[in-house]
mmCIF file of all heavy atoms in Angstrom:
data_model
loop_
_atom_site.group_PDB
_atom_site.id
_atom_site.type_symbol
_atom_site.label_atom_id
_atom_site.label_comp_id
_atom_site.label_asym_id
_atom_site.label_seq_id
_atom_site.Cartn_x
_atom_site.Cartn_y
_atom_site.Cartn_z
ATOM 1 N N THR A 112 63.861 16.841 147.195
ATOM 2 C CA THR A 112 63.966 18.198 146.676
ATOM 3 C C THR A 112 62.620 18.605 146.081
ATOM 4 O O THR A 112 61.781 17.768 145.725
ATOM 5 C CB THR A 112 65.045 18.295 145.557
ATOM 6 O OG1 THR A 112 64.693 17.396 144.518
ATOM 7 C CG2 THR A 112 66.389 17.944 146.098
ATOM 8 N N VAL A 113 62.435 19.889 145.968
ATOM 9 C CA VAL A 113 61.192 20.424 145.396
ATOM 10 C C VAL A 113 61.547 21.359 144.258
ATOM 11 O O VAL A 113 62.359 22.258 144.423
ATOM 12 C CB VAL A 113 60.369 21.185 146.476
ATOM 13 C CG1 VAL A 113 59.146 21.809 145.843
ATOM 14 C CG2 VAL A 113 59.983 20.257 147.607
ATOM 15 N N ASP A 114 60.977 21.133 143.097
ATOM 16 C CA ASP A 114 61.203 22.033 141.963
ATOM 17 C C ASP A 114 59.908 22.813 141.729
ATOM 18 O O ASP A 114 58.992 22.771 142.529
ATOM 19 C CB ASP A 114 61.646 21.264 140.719
ATOM 20 C CG ASP A 114 60.697 20.153 140.341
ATOM 21 O OD1 ASP A 114 59.475 20.355 140.473
ATOM 22 O OD2 ASP A 114 61.167 19.066 139.924
ATOM 23 N N ASP A 115 59.852 23.511 140.597
ATOM 24 C CA ASP A 115 58.675 24.340 140.358
ATOM 25 C C ASP A 115 57.567 23.619 139.639
ATOM 26 O O ASP A 115 56.519 24.223 139.365
ATOM 27 C CB ASP A 115 59.073 25.601 139.569
ATOM 28 C CG ASP A 115 59.609 25.247 138.161
ATOM 29 O OD1 ASP A 115 59.729 24.051 137.877
ATOM 30 O OD2 ASP A 115 59.893 26.184 137.394
ATOM 31 N N THR A 116 57.717 22.345 139.377
ATOM 32 C CA THR A 116 56.725 21.601 138.621
ATOM 33 C C THR A 116 55.382 21.557 139.340
ATOM 34 O O THR A 116 54.332 21.785 138.783
ATOM 35 C CB THR A 116 57.195 20.163 138.336
ATOM 36 O OG1 THR A 116 58.488 20.211 137.701
ATOM 37 C CG2 THR A 116 56.210 19.460 137.409
ATOM 38 N N LEU A 117 55.409 21.270 140.639
ATOM 39 C CA LEU A 117 54.185 21.208 141.419
ATOM 40 C C LEU A 117 53.490 22.571 141.460
ATOM 41 O O LEU A 117 52.250 22.651 141.415
ATOM 42 C CB LEU A 117 54.487 20.715 142.850
ATOM 43 C CG LEU A 117 53.272 20.347 143.696
ATOM 44 C CD1 LEU A 117 52.424 19.286 143.012
ATOM 45 C CD2 LEU A 117 53.719 19.871 145.070
ATOM 46 N N GLN A 118 54.296 23.639 141.528
ATOM 47 C CA GLN A 118 53.713 24.964 141.524
ATOM 48 C C GLN A 118 52.985 25.222 140.186
ATOM 49 O O GLN A 118 51.910 25.809 140.144
ATOM 50 C CB GLN A 118 54.822 26.027 141.703
ATOM 51 C CG GLN A 118 54.305 27.416 142.006
ATOM 52 C CD GLN A 118 55.452 28.392 142.287
ATOM 53 O OE1 GLN A 118 56.572 28.183 141.836
ATOM 54 N NE2 GLN A 118 55.170 29.434 143.050
ATOM 55 N N LEU A 119 53.563 24.735 139.089
ATOM 56 C CA LEU A 119 52.914 24.848 137.801
ATOM 57 C C LEU A 119 51.598 24.060 137.764
ATOM 58 O O LEU A 119 50.633 24.463 137.138
ATOM 59 C CB LEU A 119 53.842 24.359 136.687
ATOM 60 C CG LEU A 119 55.057 25.252 136.401
ATOM 61 C CD1 LEU A 119 55.973 24.578 135.396
ATOM 62 C CD2 LEU A 119 54.613 26.591 135.867
ATOM 63 N N TYR A 120 51.573 22.887 138.439
ATOM 64 C CA TYR A 120 50.360 22.120 138.533
ATOM 65 C C TYR A 120 49.270 22.944 139.208
ATOM 66 O O TYR A 120 48.093 22.899 138.789
ATOM 67 C CB TYR A 120 50.595 20.822 139.307
ATOM 68 C CG TYR A 120 50.952 19.636 138.463
ATOM 69 C CD1 TYR A 120 52.104 19.635 137.672
ATOM 70 C CD2 TYR A 120 50.138 18.492 138.416
ATOM 71 C CE1 TYR A 120 52.432 18.543 136.896
ATOM 72 C CE2 TYR A 120 50.446 17.406 137.667
ATOM 73 C CZ TYR A 120 51.601 17.420 136.886
ATOM 74 O OH TYR A 120 51.913 16.351 136.094
ATOM 75 N N PHE A 121 49.633 23.674 140.265
ATOM 76 C CA PHE A 121 48.626 24.492 140.943
ATOM 77 C C PHE A 121 48.078 25.561 140.017
ATOM 78 O O PHE A 121 46.861 25.865 140.050
ATOM 79 C CB PHE A 121 49.235 25.138 142.204
ATOM 80 C CG PHE A 121 49.103 24.297 143.422
ATOM 81 C CD1 PHE A 121 50.117 23.422 143.801
ATOM 82 C CD2 PHE A 121 47.971 24.354 144.216
ATOM 83 C CE1 PHE A 121 50.004 22.629 144.927
ATOM 84 C CE2 PHE A 121 47.848 23.589 145.350
ATOM 85 C CZ PHE A 121 48.848 22.707 145.715
ATOM 86 N N LEU A 122 48.908 26.136 139.199
ATOM 87 C CA LEU A 122 48.426 27.146 138.249
ATOM 88 C C LEU A 122 47.533 26.514 137.200
ATOM 89 O O LEU A 122 46.432 26.992 136.897
ATOM 90 C CB LEU A 122 49.596 27.871 137.557
ATOM 91 C CG LEU A 122 49.204 28.959 136.545
ATOM 92 C CD1 LEU A 122 48.433 30.056 137.221
ATOM 93 C CD2 LEU A 122 50.423 29.497 135.852
ATOM 94 N N CYS A 123 48.012 25.393 136.605
ATOM 95 C CA CYS A 123 47.230 24.744 135.540
ATOM 96 C C CYS A 123 45.914 24.164 136.039
ATOM 97 O O CYS A 123 44.981 23.966 135.286
ATOM 98 C CB CYS A 123 48.072 23.651 134.879
ATOM 99 S SG CYS A 123 49.487 24.249 133.958
ATOM 100 N N ALA A 124 45.880 23.833 137.362
ATOM 101 C CA ALA A 124 44.698 23.215 137.948
ATOM 102 C C ALA A 124 43.775 24.242 138.614
ATOM 103 O O ALA A 124 43.088 23.930 139.555
ATOM 104 C CB ALA A 124 45.127 22.163 138.988
ATOM 105 N N HIS A 125 43.742 25.423 138.074
ATOM 106 C CA HIS A 125 42.926 26.470 138.687
ATOM 107 C C HIS A 125 41.453 26.068 138.655
ATOM 108 O O HIS A 125 40.979 25.472 137.696
ATOM 109 C CB HIS A 125 43.100 27.779 137.932
ATOM 110 C CG HIS A 125 42.577 28.966 138.674
ATOM 111 N ND1 HIS A 125 41.278 29.362 138.543
ATOM 112 C CD2 HIS A 125 43.173 29.790 139.580
ATOM 113 C CE1 HIS A 125 41.067 30.404 139.355
ATOM 114 N NE2 HIS A 125 42.182 30.679 139.979
ATOM 115 N N PRO A 126 40.729 26.365 139.722
ATOM 116 C CA PRO A 126 39.309 25.950 139.797
ATOM 117 C C PRO A 126 38.430 26.488 138.682
ATOM 118 O O PRO A 126 37.346 25.964 138.458
ATOM 119 C CB PRO A 126 38.857 26.489 141.177
ATOM 120 C CG PRO A 126 40.099 26.623 141.970
ATOM 121 C CD PRO A 126 41.183 26.990 140.999
ATOM 122 N N SER A 127 38.852 27.533 138.005
ATOM 123 C CA SER A 127 38.052 28.082 136.905
ATOM 124 C C SER A 127 38.050 27.179 135.708
ATOM 125 O O SER A 127 37.244 27.360 134.785
ATOM 126 C CB SER A 127 38.562 29.456 136.519
ATOM 127 O OG SER A 127 39.911 29.380 136.067
ATOM 128 N N LEU A 128 38.960 26.188 135.663
ATOM 129 C CA LEU A 128 39.024 25.232 134.550
ATOM 130 C C LEU A 128 38.253 23.958 134.914
ATOM 131 O O LEU A 128 38.221 23.546 136.068
ATOM 132 C CB LEU A 128 40.458 24.853 134.245
ATOM 133 C CG LEU A 128 41.398 25.973 133.787
ATOM 134 C CD1 LEU A 128 42.825 25.439 133.663
ATOM 135 C CD2 LEU A 128 40.926 26.566 132.464
ATOM 136 N N THR A 129 37.645 23.340 133.897
ATOM 137 C CA THR A 129 37.076 22.018 134.121
ATOM 138 C C THR A 129 38.198 21.001 134.318
ATOM 139 O O THR A 129 39.321 21.238 133.863
ATOM 140 C CB THR A 129 36.238 21.577 132.915
ATOM 141 O OG1 THR A 129 37.094 21.437 131.755
ATOM 142 C CG2 THR A 129 35.166 22.596 132.586
ATOM 143 N N PRO A 130 37.935 19.865 134.998
ATOM 144 C CA PRO A 130 39.003 18.877 135.146
ATOM 145 C C PRO A 130 39.613 18.432 133.837
ATOM 146 O O PRO A 130 40.835 18.277 133.749
ATOM 147 C CB PRO A 130 38.276 17.729 135.856
ATOM 148 C CG PRO A 130 37.165 18.384 136.615
ATOM 149 C CD PRO A 130 36.716 19.529 135.745
ATOM 150 N N SER A 131 38.811 18.239 132.785
ATOM 151 C CA SER A 131 39.377 17.798 131.506
ATOM 152 C C SER A 131 40.289 18.857 130.904
ATOM 153 O O SER A 131 41.329 18.552 130.348
ATOM 154 C CB SER A 131 38.259 17.408 130.533
ATOM 155 O OG SER A 131 37.433 18.522 130.274
ATOM 156 N N SER A 132 39.894 20.131 131.010
ATOM 157 C CA SER A 132 40.754 21.209 130.480
ATOM 158 C C SER A 132 41.994 21.348 131.311
ATOM 159 O O SER A 132 43.085 21.598 130.781
ATOM 160 C CB SER A 132 39.957 22.546 130.514
ATOM 161 O OG SER A 132 38.884 22.506 129.576
ATOM 162 N N ALA A 133 41.871 21.190 132.651
ATOM 163 C CA ALA A 133 43.020 21.322 133.520
ATOM 164 C C ALA A 133 44.058 20.237 133.233
ATOM 165 O O ALA A 133 45.259 20.518 133.155
ATOM 166 C CB ALA A 133 42.585 21.253 134.988
ATOM 167 N N VAL A 134 43.613 18.990 133.046
ATOM 168 C CA VAL A 134 44.587 17.937 132.802
ATOM 169 C C VAL A 134 45.195 18.071 131.394
ATOM 170 O O VAL A 134 46.379 17.853 131.217
ATOM 171 C CB VAL A 134 43.974 16.544 133.001
ATOM 172 C CG1 VAL A 134 43.020 16.146 131.893
ATOM 173 C CG2 VAL A 134 45.059 15.500 133.115
ATOM 174 N N ALA A 135 44.413 18.541 130.441
ATOM 175 C CA ALA A 135 44.951 18.723 129.082
ATOM 176 C C ALA A 135 46.000 19.848 129.117
ATOM 177 O O ALA A 135 47.105 19.714 128.502
ATOM 178 C CB ALA A 135 43.834 19.106 128.117
ATOM 179 N N LEU A 136 45.719 20.953 129.806
ATOM 180 C CA LEU A 136 46.661 22.047 129.911
ATOM 181 C C LEU A 136 47.944 21.599 130.630
ATOM 182 O O LEU A 136 49.048 21.934 130.243
ATOM 183 C CB LEU A 136 46.022 23.210 130.631
ATOM 184 C CG LEU A 136 46.936 24.454 130.830
ATOM 185 C CD1 LEU A 136 47.395 25.011 129.493
ATOM 186 C CD2 LEU A 136 46.213 25.532 131.649
ATOM 187 N N THR A 137 47.772 20.795 131.701
ATOM 188 C CA THR A 137 48.919 20.313 132.427
ATOM 189 C C THR A 137 49.789 19.413 131.594
ATOM 190 O O THR A 137 51.024 19.509 131.606
ATOM 191 C CB THR A 137 48.454 19.586 133.707
ATOM 192 O OG1 THR A 137 47.603 20.430 134.474
ATOM 193 C CG2 THR A 137 49.648 19.182 134.576
ATOM 194 N N LEU A 138 49.160 18.488 130.871
ATOM 195 C CA LEU A 138 49.955 17.609 130.017
ATOM 196 C C LEU A 138 50.716 18.373 128.958
ATOM 197 O O LEU A 138 51.860 18.028 128.637
ATOM 198 C CB LEU A 138 49.008 16.607 129.325
ATOM 199 C CG LEU A 138 48.383 15.511 130.212
ATOM 200 C CD1 LEU A 138 47.276 14.786 129.490
ATOM 201 C CD2 LEU A 138 49.444 14.532 130.677
ATOM 202 N N ARG A 139 50.112 19.452 128.454
ATOM 203 C CA ARG A 139 50.750 20.219 127.373
ATOM 204 C C ARG A 139 51.846 21.143 127.962
ATOM 205 O O ARG A 139 52.956 21.192 127.476
ATOM 206 C CB ARG A 139 49.736 21.068 126.650
ATOM 207 C CG ARG A 139 50.301 21.894 125.485
ATOM 208 C CD ARG A 139 50.687 20.967 124.341
ATOM 209 N NE ARG A 139 51.372 21.682 123.283
ATOM 210 C CZ ARG A 139 52.687 21.866 123.226
ATOM 211 N NH1 ARG A 139 53.483 21.387 124.166
ATOM 212 N NH2 ARG A 139 53.220 22.522 122.216
ATOM 213 N N ALA A 140 51.499 21.900 128.995
ATOM 214 C CA ALA A 140 52.400 22.940 129.492
ATOM 215 C C ALA A 140 53.469 22.401 130.422
ATOM 216 O O ALA A 140 54.574 22.937 130.435
ATOM 217 C CB ALA A 140 51.602 24.021 130.223
ATOM 218 N N VAL A 141 53.147 21.360 131.188
ATOM 219 C CA VAL A 141 54.112 20.838 132.174
ATOM 220 C C VAL A 141 54.638 19.473 131.780
ATOM 221 O O VAL A 141 55.818 19.191 131.937
ATOM 222 C CB VAL A 141 53.442 20.774 133.575
ATOM 223 C CG1 VAL A 141 54.478 20.416 134.633
ATOM 224 C CG2 VAL A 141 52.760 22.061 133.926
ATOM 225 N N GLY A 142 53.767 18.597 131.257
ATOM 226 C CA GLY A 142 54.198 17.253 130.893
ATOM 227 C C GLY A 142 55.011 17.158 129.624
ATOM 228 O O GLY A 142 55.717 16.168 129.413
ATOM 229 N N GLY A 143 54.889 18.175 128.760
ATOM 230 C CA GLY A 143 55.698 18.152 127.538
ATOM 231 C C GLY A 143 55.100 17.366 126.379
ATOM 232 O O GLY A 143 55.746 17.169 125.372
ATOM 233 N N LEU A 144 53.848 16.910 126.518
ATOM 234 C CA LEU A 144 53.233 16.177 125.431
ATOM 235 C C LEU A 144 52.803 17.165 124.309
ATOM 236 O O LEU A 144 52.483 18.308 124.583
ATOM 237 C CB LEU A 144 51.982 15.415 125.901
ATOM 238 C CG LEU A 144 52.216 14.023 126.484
ATOM 239 C CD1 LEU A 144 52.952 14.114 127.816
ATOM 240 C CD2 LEU A 144 50.905 13.291 126.648
ATOM 241 N N THR A 145 52.792 16.708 123.096
ATOM 242 C CA THR A 145 52.326 17.538 122.019
ATOM 243 C C THR A 145 50.787 17.549 122.002
ATOM 244 O O THR A 145 50.145 16.667 122.550
ATOM 245 C CB THR A 145 52.806 17.020 120.643
ATOM 246 O OG1 THR A 145 52.230 15.738 120.378
ATOM 247 C CG2 THR A 145 54.354 16.900 120.616
ATOM 248 N N THR A 146 50.244 18.527 121.337
ATOM 249 C CA THR A 146 48.769 18.613 121.228
ATOM 250 C C THR A 146 48.252 17.377 120.528
ATOM 251 O O THR A 146 47.173 16.841 120.877
ATOM 252 C CB THR A 146 48.398 19.869 120.420
ATOM 253 O OG1 THR A 146 48.917 21.030 121.082
ATOM 254 C CG2 THR A 146 46.883 19.990 120.334
ATOM 255 N N ARG A 147 48.968 16.853 119.549
ATOM 256 C CA ARG A 147 48.574 15.664 118.836
ATOM 257 C C ARG A 147 48.487 14.472 119.782
ATOM 258 O O ARG A 147 47.536 13.675 119.729
ATOM 259 C CB ARG A 147 49.541 15.361 117.693
ATOM 260 C CG ARG A 147 49.138 14.153 116.848
ATOM 261 C CD ARG A 147 50.170 13.900 115.758
ATOM 262 N NE ARG A 147 50.354 15.094 114.901
ATOM 263 C CZ ARG A 147 51.259 15.146 113.937
ATOM 264 N NH1 ARG A 147 52.093 14.142 113.719
ATOM 265 N NH2 ARG A 147 51.354 16.221 113.210
ATOM 266 N N GLN A 148 49.482 14.297 120.659
ATOM 267 C CA GLN A 148 49.451 13.183 121.618
ATOM 268 C C GLN A 148 48.314 13.273 122.577
ATOM 269 O O GLN A 148 47.620 12.285 122.879
ATOM 270 C CB GLN A 148 50.781 13.161 122.388
ATOM 271 C CG GLN A 148 51.989 12.705 121.590
ATOM 272 C CD GLN A 148 53.283 12.887 122.384
ATOM 273 O OE1 GLN A 148 53.541 13.953 122.932
ATOM 274 N NE2 GLN A 148 54.111 11.837 122.410
ATOM 275 N N ILE A 149 48.012 14.485 123.066
ATOM 276 C CA ILE A 149 46.909 14.660 124.003
ATOM 277 C C ILE A 149 45.588 14.399 123.320
ATOM 278 O O ILE A 149 44.691 13.765 123.877
ATOM 279 C CB ILE A 149 46.957 16.095 124.598
ATOM 280 C CG1 ILE A 149 48.292 16.323 125.310
ATOM 281 C CG2 ILE A 149 45.814 16.273 125.594
ATOM 282 C CD1 ILE A 149 48.500 17.784 125.719
#
């Protein structure tokens, strides 16, 4: 099955972001980690 999580990864991984910012945003917005954990 396919849910919307991968689609969110595509948004969070936009080329205008640096890789470190993209992974931090993904962990926060999609992965559910707190800012403190990241």
